[in-house]
Amino acid sequence: MTNLTELNLHQALSGLAAGDFTSTELTQSYLNSIEAQNTNLNAYLVVTGDKALEMARASDARRAVGNVGALEGIPLGIKDLFCTKGVRTTAASKILGEFAPEYESSVTTNLWRDGAVMLGKLNLDEFAMGSSNETSAFGNVVNPWKRKGSNVALTPGGSSGGSAAAVAAHMCLGATATDTGGSIRQPAAFTGTVGIKPTYGRCSRYGIVAFASSLDQAGPIARNVKDSAIMLQSMMGHDVKDSTSLNVAVPDLVAAMANGVKGMKIGIPKEYRVDGMPEEIESLWQQGIAWLKGAGAEIVDISLPHTKYALPAYYIVAPAEASSNLARYDGMRFGARVDGNDLTDTYEKTRATGFGEEVKRRILIGTYVLSAGYYDAYYLRAQKVRARILEDFTNAWTKCDAILTPTAPSAAFGLGEKSDDPIKMYLNDVFTVTANLAGLPAISIPAALDVDGLPLGLQIIGKALDEETIYSVASVMEQAANFSARP
Amino acid sequence: MTQTSVPAYTAFKTARPDQWVKSVTGDWEIIVGMEVHAQVSAKSKLFSGASAAYGGDPNSHVAMVDAGMPGMLPVINKFVVEQAVKTGLGLGAKINLWSRFDRKNYFYPDLPQGYQISQYLYPIIGEGSLEVASEDGSMIMVGIERIHLEQDAGKSIHDLDPNSTYVDLNRSGCALMEIVSKPDIRSADEAANYFKNLRALVRYLETCDGNMDEGSMRADVNVSVRRPGGELGTRCEIKNVNSTKFVGMAVNYEARRQIEILEDGGTIDQETRLFDVKTGQTRTMRSKEDAHDYRYFPDPDLLPLILDEAWVENIRANLPELPAAMKARFQSQYGLSAYDADVLVADKDFAVFYEEVAKGRDAKIANSWMTVELFGWLNKNGKELSQSPISAAALGGLVGLITDGTINGKIAKDVFSKMIESGDEAAVIVDREGLKQTTDTGAIEASIDALMATNPEKVAEAREKPKMLGWWVGQVMKATGGKANPAIVNEILKGKLGIE
Amino acid sequence: MSVDDATVRKIARLARIEIHEDKVTKMANELNGILNWIEMLNEVDVNGVEPMASAVAIALPMRDDAVTDGNIQSSILKNAPKADSGFFVVPKSVE
């Protein structure tokens, strides 16, 4: 039997349907792959081997009586930000201690409903705060990709570094992830995988450890566009337990892939051409434009004038919301408590010990910008700038149907290279953060390799609720790019 | 709108001179505003489906949302929103069709999320008013500034362990209405009456059960003093006062405390205080550090609360009769005085009880028997109306016998006691003991004739001192075993004795 | 706007995070770096703009008043660092 992990998700679905192999066999191959690679890559924090095989056997039993869900028998990795019942959930932080939730997130509930199998919990930047997976309390994740002729450990991107690395290294058929400022798309670009953040409200946030409530969205990281579509369709859906969840039908994304781009207008925003952008990124962008033109799309120059203010606005809004969302991590009802002299001392020691440096920094910034006298100058202003950014997109949609940009300003960089300057790190999100602020769907697909042989991604941003157009464009580009390199 | 533009306290009204507190350097007036927290009557909580019922084993009425667990999200209870609207309508207040929830951030173990979901800048209910009796019998209007919805916190128990606090989150997340008055109150009595009337109103509306023992309603009382019509003084907040009586006591003590300090040339520190029910005094709360920077911002897990105008109008159309309207009706329908009507509508239970007693009977007699005789007995025996040994129907029966002249007032008192003792109905007792009033004029005349014969000197006295009639009536009543109809006895006596 | 050591201590207290004295200045510098960068938002003309409160333009969904949750005491306490007789046990706090 060929190495089962070579099959991608939709190929595995066909293989299972044809009876070529069982989910139990498939799951075992993935557990073997994890065992072989995880020590080096540190993508998984927890491997739920017994549970995975149990779920696989149950899936095989269901299949035997004709119950086949959309993801029946497919082994997936789950970013450790999703609460999984009875399974330790850490958010890559010490502060959660040995916390094992007594409830399941709605997104993962959907996956299990559709027959998927859980391989384990994937590493991430602590509380999803980071762009390189270097802030995890449980060690960095290493990108399976390396520069040509170099052994330097590279970052897989963040915060969903574990998810991206696991998918790229074939340690799962797909992984769940979350995106608040680019945390799905940027790691996807760094690892040659497909990552999408859907429209805000498409996926339920119930049971996902909250970072910045008005920006967080769950989405899949997968090997290719079709796998991504299949996973996202399963993850999406209205949830009454989340008041910000949209009550709209789940579109047929797989079908949308075949729509093509003939007559579609693709916007190229001039403000995304930033100072000091590497030549390679610019040529990649041009290449993407050529592909789409070749497929019948019309290229339109557009302007998104407030683009450069997106990152600073994000670094007010996200920390502000996070400072409040993370107040519940106090050692009183769950997690690791550090005893102090009195109540205040216990709070302070628990949180100082439990939170890493980046998380503390963001909580302090967030606390500061919301504090007495500063609310108007910072938070309120940032929310108004956000409205302007949305306005830019709304205007752009009168001229185009989708927008094409690079995903990240560089390829994967070395671990430790940027971690001493927070702002340098924050600039990783310069192309991705606008979609979070505006609540728009956006995908990253691998487009080419750079001069060092590292993957580069292109991003497509769509109108709110128009994931279908995104998949049409992504599918065309994927075919044109024909990206087949492996780490 | 900026963070700082929540309306500040203003106070245009000056107290009446009879309300001024006189002291060494001159007069002072008392300015009071109140923030009442009323727990909304509902089956489940404001943002979760856990039970909002009182009591229960610790942490048994708690959903993961209420415990502030990772990834949990709030979903609002429509009925609670309706209850808030009803309360606003009952206070004649503006219903804000658009309102918003904000997070109030602070750390405390009974606040699991590390923030309370409340409404800061845009509350659901705007300005309204409540009519309140002042101590001189006049009615004043106390303005309502706003009402907003917010989560209640859990309970911290400090005395189960010397070194730890025990936390029960059953109450965490229950819906509260915070009813904020304008500082229109000028005396302890007005403050007590405001609290009393507000409680009566929400009980009428059934939006809060007003059960103080269970903490359903508690008042934060803001007190300051100033020279009549002068500049506002610094106010102190007295937290969690939970009875009408204590509200009055707290205001009196606090006002005098502040006046004493000011008279001595000192200044008032703005602070939060507690009312000690044992001593009747207010005292400083141990200060909570950084208690005041709550870093309010709109809760990003919730969207704006938008109410449909037609829905609000439907609630308005279905409001029950409110105390003010009921009071007016009692005066016109039953001919009661404003004072008497006020007593009866002070509590929905009283009003309901009264109407049953008075049905088809003399309204004034019903009132007197309920508020004087029955209430007198209840007070003496430390019981509430709900614990009355005589039901409204039974009391009504007694009043009916008086109304139709079957028994007189004196006999009725006897029957009343026997009803309490035996649990029997009035008619049964009257029959059994042969207590029917005598209206037989022949028997009465005979008694009178006999008495006149044996007391000739008293006959002469009666003609000179008409007050002696009382002695005669007493004698006739005694002779007839108390059953004679006193009115008829009076008439016949006057005739026989030759008195006008 | 910039923060000094005293402000860092104050914010840390508000956020209930202990910062050792020898780390306070470093944190102040890091925060200032970020805050200086954020200053550029002042360039934006936000006159007459309503703040974007939510990416989702719908009204707040409401649920019926029914007891559908709770009565799960053991689950609620399962992860507690310290629990006793159904209560969470926490450091003594004073009113």
Side-chain angles (χ1 to χ4, degrees), chain B residues 353 368-378 380-381 388-391 394-396 398-399 401-402 407-427 429-430 435:
Chain B
F353 194 98
S368 143
W369 270 89
M370 182 179 160
T371 63
V372 178
E373 301 298 334
L374 181 60
F375 277 13
W377 187 92
L378 290 170
K380 206 156 86 174
N381 290 275
S388 169
I390 298 181
S391 70
L395 188 62
L398 178 62
V399 171
L401 294 178
I402 304 171
I407 56 176
N408 62 43
K410 187 155 184 277
I411 296 288
K413 288 201 174 140
D414 188 28
V415 174
F416 180 75
S417 307
K418 293 200 162 91
M419 283 169 79
I420 292 175
E421 268 168 43
S422 66
D424 289 334
E425 282 182 27
I429 296 170
V430 166
L435 298 171

Side-chain angles (χ1 to χ4, degrees), chain B residues 43-45 48-49 58-60 62 75-79 108 158 161 164-167 286 289-290 303-304, chain C residues 13-14 16 54 58 60 62-63 65-73 84 86-90 92-93 95:
Chain B
K43 294 191 209 123
S44 62
K45 297 185 176 181
S48 86
N59 293 303
S60 63
V62 179
V75 182
I76 201 168
N77 180 332
K78 183 170 190 171
F79 180 68
Y108 205 62
H158 304 292
D161 182 307
S164 310
T165 290
Y166 277 43
V167 177
R286 295 277 278 273
E289 290 176 78
D290 305 302
L303 302 163
Chain C
R13 170 50 58 89
L14 270 181
R16 294 296 188 271
S54 161
I58 57 175
L60 184 62
M62 304 202 252
R63 54 166 236 280
D65 182 31
V67 177
T68 55
D69 208 338
N71 210 14
I72 47 171
Q73 190 201 63
D84 179 24
F87 293 90
F88 289 101
V89 180
V90 302
K92 195 93 162 160
S93 49
E95 288 288 64

Side-chain angles (χ1 to χ4, degrees), chain A residues 453-470:
Chain A
L454 293 176
L456 297 171
L458 281 172
Q459 172 179 237
I460 301 144
I461 305 172
K463 295 181 196 167
L465 297 176
D466 195 10
E467 285 81 3
E468 286 163 289
T469 297
I470 286 182

Side-chain angles (χ1 to χ4, degrees), chain A residues 204-329:
Chain A
S204 169
R205 292 182 301 110
Y206 177 84
I208 300 178
V209 174
F211 160 18
S213 314
S214 74
L215 301 164
D216 294 343
Q217 257 305 274
I221 293 184
R223 293 188 204 175
N224 56 67
V225 175
K226 186 169 182 182
D227 288 1
S228 168
I230 294 171
M231 266 193 82
L232 183 57
Q233 268 177 217
S234 190
M235 291 167 71
M236 276 166 136
H238 179 235
D239 183 13
V240 295
K241 300 200 283 286
D242 174 357
S243 296
T244 59
S245 170
L246 294 173
N247 194 358
V248 290
V250 174
D252 188 341
L253 300 173
V254 175
M257 283 171 62
N259 291 346
V261 300
K262 262 206 178 60
M264 216 184 260
K265 294 197 173 72
I266 304 294
I268 308 297
K270 64 177 196 234
E271 291 82 4
Y272 277 60
R273 201 159 275 121
V274 298
D275 285 337
M277 194 157 91
E279 178 57 46
E280 278 186 308
I281 305 284
E282 174 63 46
S283 24
L284 176 78
W285 200 356
Q286 291 307 318
Q287 177 66 89
I289 289 169
W291 286 330
L292 290 175
K293 238 174 167 168
E298 191 191 318
I299 306 301
V300 177
D301 284 323
I302 61 168
S303 172
L304 298 171
H306 294 89
T307 298
K308 74 175 185 200
Y309 302 111
L311 264 181
Y314 171 80
Y315 277 99
I316 291 177
V317 174
E321 294 180 7
S323 72
S324 180
N325 284 331
L326 268 61
R328 62 189 62 196
Y329 301 99

Side-chain angles (χ1 to χ4, degrees), chain A residues 73-130:
Chain A
I74 300 293
L76 302 172
I78 306 299
K79 181 175 183 177
D80 204 15
L81 208 58
F82 292 78
C83 288
T84 41
K85 189 167 179 176
V87 176
R88 186 177 176 205
T89 299
T90 67
S93 178
K94 284 192 292 193
I95 208 166
L96 273 155
E98 296 294 319
F99 175 70
E102 291 281 292
Y103 47 90
E104 187 83 31
S105 79
S106 292
V107 164
T108 50
T109 298
N110 288 355
L111 294 173
W112 315 144
R113 170 203 67 195
D114 289 346
V117 170
M118 176 163 76
L119 290 166
K121 306 303 288 294
L122 294 164
N123 205 349
L124 60 149
D125 276 308
E126 188 181 1
F127 281 102
M129 298 184 194

Side-chain angles (χ1 to χ4, degrees), chain B residues 448-459:
Chain B
I448 294 174
D449 290 339
L451 281 163
M452 283 174 75
T454 51
N455 299 280
E457 66 301 342
K458 296 274 184 204
V459 175

Side-chain angles (χ1 to χ4, degrees), chain A residues 375 380, chain B residues 1 76 81 85 94-102 118-126 146-149 297-299 302-309 311-312, chain C residues 50-54 56-60 62:
Chain A
Y375 175 84
L380 193 59
Chain B
M1 208 188 215
I76 201 168
V81 175
V85 170
K94 177 163 183 285
I95 310 300
N96 294 323
L97 299 179
W98 190 100
S99 68
R100 195 182 73 188
F101 288 93
D102 302 301
S118 177
Q119 295 187 298
Y120 182 61
L121 288 182
Y122 302 103
I124 184 176
I125 306 291
R146 52 181 267 162
I147 305 178
H148 68 257
L149 282 168
F297 74 104
D299 192 325
L302 295 167
L303 302 163
L305 179 59
I306 298 175
L307 305 178
D308 178 50
E309 195 153 6
W311 183 71
V312 172
Chain C
E50 279 305 302
M52 181 167 163
S54 161
V56 168
I58 57 175
L60 184 62
M62 304 202 252

